[in-house]
Amino acid sequence: MCTYTTVHADVDGSAKGPGSAWFHAGRATVYFDHPVHAMAEHTLNIDLTDPAGDPARRVALELTAESARALVAAIQQALAAVPEELKV
Amino acid sequence: MTATLVRFAGHAGDEIEAYVARPEAEFRRGGVVVIHHMPGWDRGSKEITRRFAELGYDAVCPNLYHREAPGAAPDDAAAVARAQGGVPDERLVGDVGAAAAYLRSLPTSNGKVGVIGYCSGGRQSVLAACHLDLDAAVDCYGAFVTGEVPTEFPLKITNLVDQLPNLRTPLLGLFGAEDRYPSPDQVAELEQILTAEGKTFEFHSYEGAGHAFFANERPSYNVAAANDGWERIEAFYGRYLGA
């Protein structure tokens, strides 16, 4: 199916994308839908983009649901290990 | 066959680009507007467009995301379009209408134009056929023609139930019996509505096939369903787009 579901998050950081160039990542678009490349019917897709920039400046992830949950858990684990004074 | 890129004025006069495939020989024929799926104006959509030329039609596939990301790779353009909320229904109708007018302007045109769409384009094919002067429409597993759109969907699409009385063309529907969007119940609801409205339609649901069974580069590809589906399309367009 096309889920049409699209969730946005404003983010602030950098991503390394096409042509091995770094760019400002200002937005994450997250959706569970057909992938372009991954060999699965549906994947959890994340587009990290600079909303003001060229559409080609995009880091795209297509993860199976299971691996997306593993990624979330890994991020949570890494953040949980950070001392309080560094969490800004 | 020739395949090339053209530009014409779409909805609200905005210039959009489109992929066109045409038989080489000069003979009068119908035209087909191919509506690409949500992942964009990609290689698979252009391959389908060429197949219609091989079947003897002038075929055009407008880039529905041209405004959001002119010149971008299809997957990047799809990402931008999705992030901006997708294609508004009114704009879709305008762009498909412009593509149909382009086909009718060709010297080989017999004046007849069909529309076909896959996935989200299946819904858009039905939408276009409710509003435009077309001759035949094909809906390949379009979700939310009927059925309730879950309220948590940030992309505000609606079903087409209130528009179905205005359906102006015969409709061919091709569905996977294992699909959930549209589910067999939603397909049955569409069938009931069209019957009650006295519309001309022909539906086929394929056992063992899920969503996107025509997509020959995807794990969802189902050879038997896709082959039979193409034969149904060929017969349907032969009946309604012939001279």
Side-chain angles (χ1 to χ4, degrees):
Chain A
M1 68 170 289
C2 291
T3 63
Y4 294 93
T5 308
T6 308
V7 181
H8 298 296
D10 290 329
V11 297
D12 185 17
S14 293
K16 194 172 184 181
S20 290
W22 286 91
F23 65 91
H24 173 246
R27 189 177 222 196
T29 306
V30 182
Y31 49 102
F32 191 72
D33 214 327
H34 306 306
V36 171
H37 188 269
M39 277 294 116
E41 261 194 65
H42 301 94
T43 49
L44 189 284
N45 306 316
I46 304 171
D47 292 322
L48 287 170
T49 58
D50 176 358
D54 183 337
R57 289 169 72 183
R58 177 172 72 109
V59 169
L61 282 177
E62 298 177 334
L63 303 172
T64 63
E66 189 183 353
S67 57
R69 289 191 192 97
L71 176 62
V72 169
I75 291 171
Q76 298 283 25
Q77 192 181 338
L79 285 174
V82 176
E84 278 302 321
E85 61 271 22
L86 295 182
K87 288 183 183 172
V88 289
Chain B
M1 180 192 305
T2 57
T4 187
L5 296 178
V6 299
R7 286 172 181 261
F8 50 74
H11 178 68
D14 300 339
E15 187 182 76
I16 60 170
E17 65 184 338
Y19 184 81
V20 174
R22 304 179 62 200
E24 198 71 39
E26 295 287 325
F27 61 92
R28 305 276 281 181
R29 58 220 182 202
V32 176
V33 179
V34 177
I35 302 177
H36 63 69
H37 55 172
M38 209 160 175
W41 193 58
D42 57 6
R43 182 177 287 130
S45 303
K46 291 165 187 166
E47 187 178 311
I48 288 166
T49 307
R50 290 196 299 276
R51 182 154 179 168
F52 281 111
E54 189 269 333
L55 290 172
Y57 298 96
D58 292 320
V60 60
C61 181
N63 179 0
L64 302 175
Y65 301 153
H66 180 73
R67 293 171 184 81
E68 280 81 9
D75 58 336
D76 291 338
V80 174
R82 175 182 279 271
Q84 294 183 4
V87 175
D89 282 354
E90 184 186 5
R91 197 178 94 183
L92 180 282
V93 171
D95 285 354
V96 172
Y102 168 81
L103 289 170
R104 288 188 172 121
S105 75
L106 297 173
T108 47
S109 173
N110 67 3
K112 295 182 179 173
V113 173
V115 63
I116 186 168
Y118 302 79
C119 200
S120 58
R123 175 185 170 280
Q124 291 168 327
S125 178
V126 177
L127 173 73
C130 290
H131 293 273
L132 296 170
D133 177 23
L134 300 168
D135 298 282
V138 184
D139 167 11
C140 300
Y141 37 79
F144 302 123
V145 175
T146 60
E148 291 306 313
V149 181
T151 51
E152 68 270 23
F153 275 27
L155 203 58
K156 297 301 177 197
I157 64 155
T158 60
N159 69 36
L160 302 178
V161 169
D162 62 337
Q163 299 177 54
L164 290 172
N166 302 322
L167 183 69
R168 292 158 68 170
T169 71
L171 177 67
L172 172 65
L174 302 171
F175 307 102
E178 315 303 322
D179 200 346
R180 305 311 305 159
Y181 295 92
S183 67
D185 284 350
Q186 290 166 350
V187 173
E189 183 187 350
L190 178 57
E191 200 164 355
Q192 285 163 10
I193 292 170
L194 296 179
T195 301
E197 294 289 337
K199 304 297 184 186
T200 301
F201 68 95
E202 175 186 331
F203 282 5
H204 301 277
S205 288
Y206 296 101
E207 293 297 328
H211 195 72
F213 59 79
F214 277 111
N216 58 14
E217 77 281 26
R218 308 299 317 157
S220 56
Y221 182 50
N222 183 300
V223 181
N227 286 359
D228 189 80
W230 272 110
E231 288 176 16
R232 302 289 181 180
I233 293 165
E234 196 172 344
F236 184 76
Y237 277 165
R239 194 177 317 139
Y240 294 108
L241 303 184

